[in-house]
Every structure is written in C-alpha cells, then in structure tokens.
Amino acid sequence: MTEGFLPFPPAATAGQALAEVDTPALLLDLDAFERNLARMQAAADAAGVHLRPHAKAHKCPAVALAQMARGAVGVCCQKASEALPFLLAGVRDVHVSNELASPLKARALAQWARQARLSVCVDDAAQVDTLAEATREAGSSLDVLVEIDIGQGRCGVADAAAVQRLLQRLAPHPQLSFAGLQAYQGGLQHLRSRAERREQALRAAARAGEVVTALENAGVRCATVTGGGTGSVEWDLESGVYTELQPGSYAFMDRDYADNEAGALRFEHALFVATRVMSTAAGTHAVVDAGLKSLTLECGLPVLWPADGALAYTQANDEHGLVAGAPLPALGSLLRLVPGHCDPTFNLHDEIVAFRGERVEAVWPVAARGLSR
Ligand code: PLP
Ligand code: MN
C-alpha cells in the first residue's frame, strides 16, 4: 500500500549522466575495476594458481560473475547466509572460508549442497560432527577444509597432528570429503613496508608448507591449500604452497590498502562514495551528505578523489561529513570519496552504481548486504 505516496526515486538508472547521480551513492569505475580483475587473474594464471575471490568484500553477485567470467573458479563467502544470493545468481562453487557457529547454518549449507559444490572450514571435532549430521539429513556432500593458524592467532589448529585428529573424525563420514587446508594470515595484509610484508607473507606461507609436507609424509594429500589476501597475494603466488587464493579488496582498492607501499602487483581505486555538499553556511568548512551511514571509519577517514591535497574530509557524523581546505567546494558540488575500508562500506549500501567514463552503465544490487549469519 503506497497510500498515494510516490516511492523515493532511485539514486541512479542505467544510461544517465554520472553527474546526475543522487547521493550518497556507492560508485564503481568499471574501467578501473576491469583492469584490476584482469591483473589479478593474469597473475594467478601465470602462477598456475586458482583464483577464488572473496565475496565478503563486495557482497554483490554481479561482481562475482564478472570475476568468474575472467577465470575465477568460484567465490569465498565468510558467512553461510551470505552464500545464498551468489547461489541464486548462478555461482555454483562457494567456499565458506570460516567455521560455522551453529547447527542451523550447517543445515542450510547441507541443503544447498544438493545443487552446488560447497566447502567449509573446521578447526574442531564438534564442527565435524555437526556437518556430518546436517549432510546425512540432507543427503548431500560437502568439501571440508581444515583451517590452520599460520600466524594470525585467530581461527585454525596449530599443526599437522591436530589436522590428523580432525581427519580421523571425518573418516566415518564419506559425505564429508577432506579437500585440504585453509591458511590465511590477515595480520600482515596492511603492513605498510613492502619488504616487511614480503618477509611475513613468505614466513606465513612457509608455515603452511610445513604442515602440507608433514601431512604428505603421513600419506595425506592436500588437494587444495587456500588463503591469501590483497596485501600478500604477490608472495602467496610465488610461494608454491597455495593452490588457490582468496583476495577480495584488490578489485576495489580502498584507502587503507592504497596506504601500503605498493608491490609488483598494482591495483587502482575503482570504488568511491559519491557525496554532495549540502551546507556551506559556516563559511569555515563544507558539509557533505556522506557520514558514518555511508562509509565506515575503522580503518581511518576517506580521502577526496582525485587527490589534489587542497581539500580533506576531516570528520564524520552519522549523516554528515566535514570537508576542510581551500577553496571550499560550492553548495551542491558533487565530490568523490575513496572509503577507508571497502568491505564494511559495501555492507551499508543497497546498490552499486557502475559507471564508465561519465555515464552510468548499470546499477547492481548488493544482494548479500547485511547477511552476517
Ligand atoms: N580470506 C579470508 C579468510 C579473509 O578473512 C579475508 C579478509 O579479511 C580475505 C581472504 C581477503 O581479504 P582482502 O579483502 O584483504 O583481500
Ligand atoms: Mn577488509
């Protein structure tokens, strides 16, 4: 029932001029995005490593399909509920790169696994039992990866002996196939110095390699070793340990990643928050319409783009942002911000306004937005 009230107009429609987009809006520069996808895929292909980009970065099926059209083998999701929009969009190979926190999630995955290839991580025997029961009930099978801790100190078992104990727990359940290891070290991704990142990435990969070798010596083959992120990927590729990589942010490049000293694999800013100047009454600063509900600040403030150093986004309130500098932008000016951190920023938006040059080319739903269970 609309009671005669017209719906609020969309922020953008395909074909319109970019300058007419209503704000705040999440913008994707398709030319830069496609170059980022091509660079990462070419690097993975050259190393003979599968690319399984992380969809938690964007939560958008259209982005996943663009990655798969260029050779990605599937996607990662971080949460069980997050996988469904990708399955519905036709992605048939989803790895949940995480342990599941409740049997309800295992039952959902097991149901979906009747129609798609799904995999999930474990680091405890109780999780194996839950997956076994869910798949038995659903009459489906799941690939299981044992997560190992290679230095982040988050999830994952410590060594090959612990992996072997989980393999024994898996053994009575033919519907659960041991697919290999997940080894991800998030703590090193934003080390600013390239040399330090390289050293830590190679050390983390070496820890994973030691577990793989110990398992091989015990007669256990790891078909898949999956992990890696945007900050470590160039060394993950050359490590010889990983068969599959999971970077997500490379497609977009937020400010936090751009603050890293770049390596040989370079990516461009493709993601922006479009915002307009809504008040200049103070005279000392401009107020824009993008605040904490349009971008997140846990990795620092956004920067204005293109960066000419004249203006800075200095403060965010819920629905206001302050811009300082000279000359101040006029009331109504359309500005572009590079968000501090792409993943949680995507999660604040219903749609991505994908543009090429000065035209909106498509509007893509962020279909997995808010799906955090
Ligand atoms: N894999 C896992 C398990 C992660 O948690 C993350 C990010 O936190 C990534 C891959 C990819 O990260 P990024 O977006 O930094 O490339
Ligand atoms: Mn992130």
Side-chain angles (χ1 to χ4, degrees), residues 37-255:
L37 298 195
R39 277 185 200 131
M40 185 63 90
Q41 190 65 54
D45 290 348
V49 169
H50 288 155
L51 184 61
R52 180 184 291 281
H54 217 303
K56 81 181 172 72
H58 52 77
K59 291 178 169 276
C60 172
V63 168
L65 294 175
Q67 291 170 316
M68 292 181 70
R70 288 164 178 77
V73 295
V75 298
C76 293
C77 287
Q78 201 79 304
K79 295 301 192 80
S81 66
E82 197 176 50
L84 184 57
F86 294 94
L87 295 170
L88 293 175
V91 177
R92 287 289 174 270
D93 189 335
V94 179
H95 170 50
V96 178
S97 61
N98 216 341
E99 290 73 18
L100 303 181
S102 67
L104 176 153
K105 297 169 182 38
R107 288 196 290 272
L109 275 195
Q111 284 291 330
W112 300 333
R114 289 149 69 152
Q115 288 161 269
R117 187 227 160 246
L118 289 172
S119 57
V120 64
C121 291
V122 298
D123 65 0
D124 192 286
Q127 296 150 356
V128 173
D129 297 347
T130 304
L131 293 174
E133 191 177 334
T135 42
R136 197 180 325 110
E137 276 170 15
S140 66
S141 48
L142 283 173
D143 279 356
V144 176
L145 288 110
V146 176
E147 182 161 19
I148 58 171
D149 180 11
I150 54 166
Q152 181 167 14
R154 187 169 69 179
C155 302
V157 300
D159 53 27
V163 176
Q164 296 254 50
R165 286 194 289 277
L166 290 173
L167 291 181
Q168 282 162 17
R169 195 72 159 222
L170 280 167
H173 309 295
Q175 78 277 23
L176 298 180
S177 319
F178 172 67
L181 303 177
Q182 174 164 297
Y184 174 69
Q185 212 303 30
L188 65 85
Q189 302 294 331
H190 289 90
L191 292 174
R192 298 306 184 203
S193 138
R194 184 186 179 202
E196 213 182 318
R197 243 175 25 255
R198 174 179 186 278
E199 196 231 295
Q200 298 267 338
L202 290 174
R203 183 182 304 176
R207 279 178 73 163
E210 283 164 22
V211 177
V212 172
T213 306
L215 289 169
E216 258 167 25
N217 291 341
V220 176
R221 194 178 147 262
C222 296
T224 297
V225 181
T226 186
T230 300
S232 63
V233 71
E234 72 174 285
W235 303 291
D236 298 328
L237 282 168
E238 73 180 39
S239 69
V241 173
Y242 290 97
T243 66
E244 180 181 283
L245 292 179
Q246 317 182 338
S249 304
Y250 74 97
F252 313 104
M253 284 307 279
D254 52 30
R255 199 224 76 251

